Amino acid sequence: MTGGRSHLVWWLLVGATLLFLFAPVAVVLLFSFNAASTTSLPFAGFSLRWYERAFGDHQFVVALLNSVKVAIVVAIFTAVVGTSAAFALSRRRSRWLDLFSSFVTAPLILPTLFLGIALLSFYTQIGLRPWLGTAMIGHALVTLPFVVLIVNARLMRLDRSIEEAARDLGATPFQSFRLIVLPLVAPALLGAILIVVAWSFDELVITFFTSGGDATLPVRIWGMLRRGIDPSVNAMASIILLTTIACTLLAGRFISGREIAR
Amino acid sequence: MGTGTGRVTRDDPAGEAAIAVEGVCKRFGTTTALDGVSLRVEPGTFVSLLGPSGCGKTTLLRIIGGFEHADAGSISIHGVRVDRLPPNRRPVNTVFQRYALFPHKSIFENIAFPLALQRVPRAEQRARVAEMLDLVRLPGIEARSPAQLSGGQAQRVALARALIGRPRVLLLDEPLAALDLKLRKAMQLELRRIQEELGTSFLYVTHDQEEALTMSDWIVLMSEGRIAQQGTPAEVYERPANVFASGFIGEANLLPGIVAATDGTTARVRLADGGAEVTAPANGVRSDQPVVVSVRPERLRIGRAGSANGAENRIPGRLTRRVFLGNIRREFVAIGPDLVLVAQRGVDAEPIPNGEPVEVSWQAANTILLPDEGASHGG
Amino acid sequence: MAAERLGPALPVQESAEVTVGRPATPAWAPTAAQLAPALLFLLVFLVGPVAVFFAYSFWTVKAYDLVPAWTLENYQKALTEPIYLQLFAQTLVTAGLAAIVTVVIAYAFAHAIRFHLRRYQEALLLLVIVALFSGYLVRIYAWRTILGDEGIINQALISLGLIREPLSFLLFSRIATTIVLVNFLIPLAILPIYAALQNVRDEEIEVARDLGATPFGAFWRVTLPLAWTGVFAALGLTFIIAAGDYVTPQLVGGTSGSMIGRTIASTFGTAFNWPLGAALSFLTLVFVLVLLGLVKVGSERVLR
């Protein structure tokens, strides 16, 4: 139908877009291994010195651990609360549930700056001192829709009669959930959790405004950037990149891109 | 048909029904799915719930299975009220239209699922699964996964899974609808064989009248949330109680008319279209009552005008079209400006060219008069 | 026929015990219970903060303290002082430009993988998702390395002999802000557009072509209108997020590429004027939503 020439045009377009998308990522990864102390060409040879320097920085290590803590807590919370909500949404149709869907997804379409300062105002007003835990709440707000949407999409594809068959054959509601539904939804849930972790690990703005003095990895980098570029920033940034890319690629094994695209 | 069934007879009304449904109503929002349905399934019989889509048959089955709750009425299974019981505590099992096999479990795990829930010893599980697979003629496939099965095999496995707990009643929700015609026909006989072998009561939902006629001891015909008629396959076919039954089960020529005269045993009806008169058993109709005359295509004979035979009803017409269907021929005869009769003839019958004047004839005894509900109730 | 031996459906006698077969708990109870945690969480931590934030926009600051003055002063200030008006205009222009460029590129990409490279669409889509989640801050600061005077582009152009002096307008400018916004918004825009194109069936386009439409005609009259909800969603999402961004103007925008987000962030930082920041935030949101509303009405007229 389409000739080889027009195919080539589409490949060029897609290739150029991907190049544009991944150029900054590649630049950071490459320069993190560059021996020179300036982030400019030409390349001065391969070196791990910036990683060594990064891990020698106490604040960086603290920030890394904070990032891990936030990601774990947020992932567990959104997995439980989001899966529960996804179940409710998949069971019945009603205008109220549609309304709830838009409510859940609202944080996704608000700028993180808006959410961050709104949360900060709220915490101040109710007298909650910002710390790592309050930052987790902001993360959960934005990542909850990922879990709800992805798990709900999988549940909707699940034939309801499979669950009914389990009940019919003698399973209690809990047994039918544990033995039949959960194993079938688990891959989607796992994929969603990985997306949550990737997002959380990368989040700067909400965390910056709501974590008080507790820095996560992006917040630490943000602080360093204000003081001019030290190439060890590239090493720290690469750790974020490798984590999020690994999580997302792994998520792609459990859920299709179409499920995320909705 | 029917050997080994029917342990409870008409003369034994005290015997408890396998399923007794009394006055069940169900609404979904503003639509009424079931409007006071009552029926009994006698133990060991094969009963079909037959009707067009949307008539409420699947809803009724789901209420009996415990997947929906009735707004009013009661359900008893072998004398025990089950209305408030969840599906896992009802002594019935269901075979679903789309098999509903657990995709992440092997065939063995699928079939043994009810046994595993009851912590039946592994050795017994193995023996009973093997027994069930023999019953459905798929021995030795325990290790396969549902994805490796064809539609027909999947439905047999679903059947084995539903039967392994030895339910006294099995509900089947159009289990053959997803299969192709040839496989469906084979499975119909297969299902009937299994039902007779086990003596389990089957309540079988279908929209396919031929399927219901082939398999059932008893047919419950439903329309718009009510039971339109019930009886043996022969009864509902030969003596439809209303226009709906007549049109839905088998094919019928339905000719509206007015009763011109009746003596209580036979009646004469003037057809609304064309004005021809037809003689039929009175079936309780009154003079001047609007009725619908129902005649099965296979009861009609077509001959050249004036050819003599003993039939009471003769209407002249013109052959308009002939369709060849392999073993039979279907012929369309115009007998009025807008009235066409469908007749069925063997392929060996003398061919009559299109457009020829012919005479359609049939015996009065093969004519059924049905009250014209459309005329009397306006709907 | 075994018919005579079979039990007929006897008319069932009226049962003395006429019950209404209803389950013990209402049918919606489990749904409500499953929804409750998420709902509660959102009510407290989404509705709560937005409400407080909105209230703040009517407060004032006195001696480094927030005072509930219930005044329109902040809005008045935001809408009259030239510096804010100029920032609003600059923000809407830059964000609008970025959103439009983003959506055009994203549409082309989604169209390519949906209709022309469909064998690879799963893999290509996964790459888009990887790009979406890989490095917001990292991505933005990396552009300094690419666009700066000593950056990759300038160095490459100089070593190729195309220029002598570095192109200094590449960084700390509106161009830089736009490029960087487009860079991290593209994946966000591809997903809804791709989802919408998934719902356009091949037959619908083929019918249009069969009835004599040119490829562009089929696109304009059939594909685009059918996919418009997705395209508009992408446009709206990217516009809102671009207009509310502050890391990009902060890191690469300089003066000419500055945006309101930077000012809002500073009112919550060094400038300490939360009420003004809140008023600026809500005004930005209102401007963006009004513009999007106009686009929606206009597009419905054009795409019929």
Side-chain angles (χ1 to χ4, degrees):
Chain A
M1 213 166 75
T2 38
R5 275 253 299 286
S6 77
H7 226 66
L8 187 68
V9 171
W10 292 113
W11 269 121
L12 279 175
L13 188 142
V14 166
T17 310
L18 288 174
L19 182 70
F20 176 58
L21 289 182
F22 284 102
V25 174
V27 164
V28 170
L29 286 173
L30 280 176
F31 278 109
S32 76
F33 295 110
N34 187 12
S37 32
T38 55
T39 42
S40 60
L41 290 173
F43 239 48
F46 179 84
S47 158
L48 288 175
R49 60 186 279 211
W50 305 118
Y51 286 88
E52 281 161 27
R53 184 191 289 194
F55 279 98
D57 172 12
H58 176 67
Q59 290 187 22
F60 162 77
V61 177
V62 170
L64 179 61
L65 289 177
N66 280 343
S67 280
V68 173
K69 280 183 213 162
V70 172
I72 289 174
V73 173
V74 169
I76 292 171
F77 177 83
T78 53
V80 174
V81 174
T83 304
S84 172
F87 265 90
L89 289 180
S90 68
R91 286 323 157 82
R92 41 184 68 233
R93 300 251 117 263
S94 89
R95 256 176 306 145
W96 294 108
L97 290 180
D98 293 344
L99 200 66
F100 175 81
S101 289
S102 349
F103 191 34
V104 169
T105 44
L108 272 187
I109 56 168
L110 286 173
T112 47
L113 173 64
F114 187 93
L115 279 175
I117 54 185
L119 279 168
L120 175 61
S121 306
F122 180 66
Y123 295 149
T124 309
Q125 194 56 35
I126 64 171
L128 201 60
R129 194 181 56 81
W131 62 294
L132 211 54
T134 51
M136 289 172 187
I137 290 171
H139 283 220
L141 214 48
V142 183
T143 51
L144 189 63
F146 295 142
V147 178
V148 175
L149 295 177
I150 293 171
V151 174
N152 181 50
R154 182 63 57 93
L155 281 171
M156 295 295 247
R157 278 202 335 212
L158 206 70
D159 187 352
R160 258 324 274 285
S161 59
I162 287 181
E163 237 177 300
E164 289 178 347
R167 295 299 310 281
D168 184 63
L169 296 165
T172 62
F174 178 71
Q175 283 172 324
S176 133
F177 175 75
R178 191 173 59 84
L179 299 171
I180 305 300
V181 181
L182 196 58
L184 291 172
V185 176
L189 180 58
L190 202 58
I193 288 174
L194 286 164
I195 295 284
V196 169
V197 168
W199 187 91
S200 169
F201 224 72
D202 193 46
E203 211 292 321
L204 167 67
V205 179
I206 294 178
T207 322
F208 177 72
F209 283 103
T210 60
S211 69
D214 299 337
T216 58
L217 217 41
V219 173
R220 171 77 188 131
I221 292 173
W222 178 239
M224 289 177 76
L225 284 177
R226 294 177 157 189
R227 281 181 272 114
I229 292 189
D230 171 344
S232 67
V233 166
N234 287 328
M236 298 178 187
S238 296
I239 288 165
I240 296 183
L241 285 178
L242 293 175
T243 309
T244 57
I245 290 174
C247 283
T248 321
L249 283 175
L250 202 58
R253 292 184 55 90
F254 299 115
I255 42 181
S256 73
R258 281 172 221 186
E259 266 173 306
I260 302 175
R262 246 190 323 146
Chain B
M1 195 206 272
T3 33
T5 63
R7 275 176 287 275
V8 176
T9 67
R10 192 185 290 264
D11 309 316
D12 184 17
E16 84 192 4
I19 305 174
V21 173
E22 291 182 36
V24 163
C25 296
K26 177 71 180 175
R27 298 171 68 86
F28 292 109
T30 54
T31 46
T32 302
L34 292 172
D35 189 5
V37 172
S38 298
L39 65 89
R40 279 169 69 95
V41 173
E42 297 304 331
T45 58
F46 193 124
V47 176
S48 287
L49 270 179
L50 174 65
S53 58
C55 72
K57 58 191 192 300
T58 294
T59 303
L60 180 57
L61 196 79
R62 290 174 59 79
I63 287 174
I64 298 170
F67 308 115
E68 308 275 359
H69 288 278
D71 298 332
S74 75
I75 311 281
S76 299
I77 293 168
H78 283 283
V80 180
R81 287 284 295 270
V82 298
D83 310 2
R84 287 161 189 275
L85 295 181
N88 50 318
R89 296 183 50 208
R90 295 191 184 204
V92 295
N93 284 132
T94 307
V95 177
F96 294 86
Q97 185 172 349
R98 280 162 300 160
Y99 327 134
L101 296 181
F102 308 133
H104 60 305
K105 291 182 176 290
S106 70
I107 300 306
F108 176 84
E109 289 169 324
N110 262 282
I111 300 176
F113 184 76
L115 304 184
L117 288 176
Q118 295 160 28
R119 307 195 185 285
V120 170
R122 189 80 178 169
E124 189 188 335
Q125 286 189 24
R126 265 195 290 276
R128 281 174 66 181
V129 168
E131 185 191 320
M132 279 299 137
L133 283 175
D134 280 342
L135 180 74
V136 299
R137 298 190 172 160
L138 284 173
I141 63 156
E142 282 94 338
R144 288 202 217 160
S145 89
Q148 293 169 290
L149 301 184
S150 70
Q153 290 173 325
Q155 200 49 280
R156 283 162 194 253
V157 170
L159 187 65
R161 186 179 65 175
L163 287 170
I164 198 165
R166 297 171 183 153
R168 296 170 76 184
V169 176
L170 190 70
L171 309 176
L172 301 98
D173 184 10
E174 307 216 25
L176 308 182
L179 308 180
D180 64 53
L181 183 64
K182 223 168 182 173
L183 194 54
R184 199 153 66 220
K185 299 237 175 199
M187 282 294 288
Q188 288 169 7
L189 299 173
E190 196 69 2
L191 275 174
R192 183 69 213 210
R193 171 186 67 80
I194 290 168
Q195 188 267 330
E196 286 176 0
E197 218 169 298
L198 299 175
T200 311
S201 320
F202 275 31
L203 183 58
Y204 186 100
V205 162
T206 180
H207 66 268
D208 182 342
Q209 46 96 11
E210 199 183 319
E211 197 165 279
L213 291 171
T214 309
M215 305 167 75
S216 323
D217 295 317
W218 191 260
I219 291 177
V220 178
L221 180 64
M222 291 187 65
S223 166
E224 293 173 359
R226 294 161 186 262
I227 293 177
Q229 186 179 3
Q230 50 183 322
T232 63
E235 278 167 12
V236 293
Y237 186 82
E238 299 293 349
R239 294 195 292 280
N242 43 48
V243 175
F244 173 78
S246 175
F248 194 79
I249 298 186
E251 248 192 293
N253 291 297
L254 296 172
L255 316 169
I258 301 272
V259 178
T262 174
D263 60 6
T265 44
T266 56
R268 289 200 58 76
V269 176
R270 180 173 297 115
L271 299 187
D273 194 345
E277 289 217 342
V278 169
T279 309
N283 200 16
V285 297
R286 292 167 283 100
S287 273
D288 296 329
Q289 184 184 345
V291 292
V292 174
V293 177
S294 167
V295 199
R296 301 280 181 200
E298 68 269 21
R299 301 295 189 189
L300 295 183
R301 280 191 223 148
I302 294 180
R304 296 200 183 268
S307 62
N309 62 38
E312 293 89 337
N313 294 314
R314 314 165 154 271
I315 300 179
R318 183 181 300 276
L319 191 74
T320 57
R321 178 181 277 274
R322 177 187 308 126
V323 179
F324 179 67
L325 292 171
N327 53 345
I328 49 166
R329 220 163 42 203
R330 181 156 296 179
E331 284 163 340
F332 296 78
V333 180
I335 57 166
D338 290 313
L339 196 56
V340 174
L341 285 180
V342 182
Q344 208 164 284
R345 294 210 298 167
V347 279
D348 300 332
E350 178 212 356
I352 302 172
N354 274 0
E356 285 279 294
V358 289
E359 190 174 67
V360 183
S361 61
W362 72 92
Q363 300 197 334
N366 292 329
T367 317
I368 298 162
L369 294 188
L370 302 166
D372 188 347
E373 288 133 15
S376 52
H377 306 304
Chain C
M1 276 297 158
E4 290 314 302
R5 291 191 291 115
L6 287 169
L10 296 167
V12 184
Q13 316 90 307
E14 273 299 307
S15 164
E17 176 199 16
V18 178
T19 50
V20 177
R22 279 181 60 192
T25 50
W28 49 264
T31 306
Q34 286 164 341
L35 226 45
L39 197 59
L40 197 67
F41 178 71
L42 289 170
L43 284 175
V44 174
F45 291 109
L46 180 62
V47 177
V50 172
V52 169
F53 193 42
F54 188 57
Y56 273 8
S57 69
F58 302 100
W59 290 20
T60 53
V61 173
K62 282 206 179 92
Y64 286 94
D65 224 355
L66 291 165
V67 182
W70 305 112
T71 164
L72 287 172
E73 182 182 301
N74 301 305
Y75 287 98
Q76 197 183 7
K77 197 168 174 187
L79 288 172
T80 48
E81 287 196 14
I83 171 139
Y84 298 124
L85 290 178
Q86 201 206 324
L87 265 176
F88 276 130
Q90 202 162 316
T91 301
L92 294 176
V93 168
T94 310
L97 183 66
I100 290 167
V101 173
T102 299
V103 167
V104 169
I105 296 175
Y107 188 93
F109 189 95
H111 185 90
I113 65 172
R114 163 69 181 86
F115 293 110
H116 300 281
L117 309 173
R118 39 179 105 195
R119 239 195 306 163
Y120 310 94
Q121 56 183 333
E122 272 293 328
L124 291 169
L125 205 59
L126 184 60
L127 282 177
V128 170
I129 291 162
V130 168
L132 175 65
F133 292 105
S134 66
Y136 164 71
L137 170 63
V138 174
R139 196 173 268 286
I140 297 170
Y141 96 71
W143 281 101
R144 295 192 3 176
T145 313
I146 299 173
L147 299 174
D149 283 357
E150 314 261 283
I152 295 169
I153 289 180
N154 276 321
Q155 282 187 324
L157 291 176
I158 289 171
S159 65
L160 286 173
L162 292 173
I163 53 171
R164 295 221 178 125
E165 294 295 306
L167 303 172
S168 57
F169 63 86
L170 283 181
L171 192 59
F172 304 123
S173 62
R174 179 179 287 173
I175 291 178
T177 310
T178 312
I179 289 176
V180 175
L181 286 173
V182 169
N183 183 251
F184 74 76
L185 291 173
I186 283 178
L188 209 59
I190 289 176
L191 295 184
I193 296 175
Y194 175 79
L197 288 179
Q198 282 275 299
N199 296 334
V200 179
R201 288 179 299 129
D202 291 350
E203 300 88 57
E204 290 167 331
I205 298 163
E206 280 158 14
V207 164
R209 293 299 309 280
D210 187 55
L211 295 174
T214 61
F216 181 78
F219 160 77
W220 186 251
R221 298 278 180 84
V222 180
T223 319
L224 191 58
L226 285 172
W228 182 250
T229 41
V231 176
F232 184 75
L235 189 73
L237 187 65
T238 51
F239 189 32
I240 293 176
I241 292 194
D245 194 53
Y246 93 99
V247 176
T248 307
Q250 178 94 11
L251 282 182
V252 303
T255 330
S256 69
S258 190
M259 293 169 81
I260 195 84
R262 203 170 154 184
T263 311
I264 295 172
S266 77
T267 63
F268 273 77
T270 47
F272 192 74
N273 193 346
W274 292 13
L276 179 62
L280 291 173
S281 299
F282 280 101
L283 282 176
T284 311
L285 218 52
V286 167
F287 288 142
V288 166
L289 292 179
V290 166
L291 273 178
L292 285 174
L294 291 177
V295 171
K296 190 166 170 58
V297 171
S299 67
E300 275 162 10
R301 293 247 176 100
V302 176
L303 295 170
R304 275 279 150 187

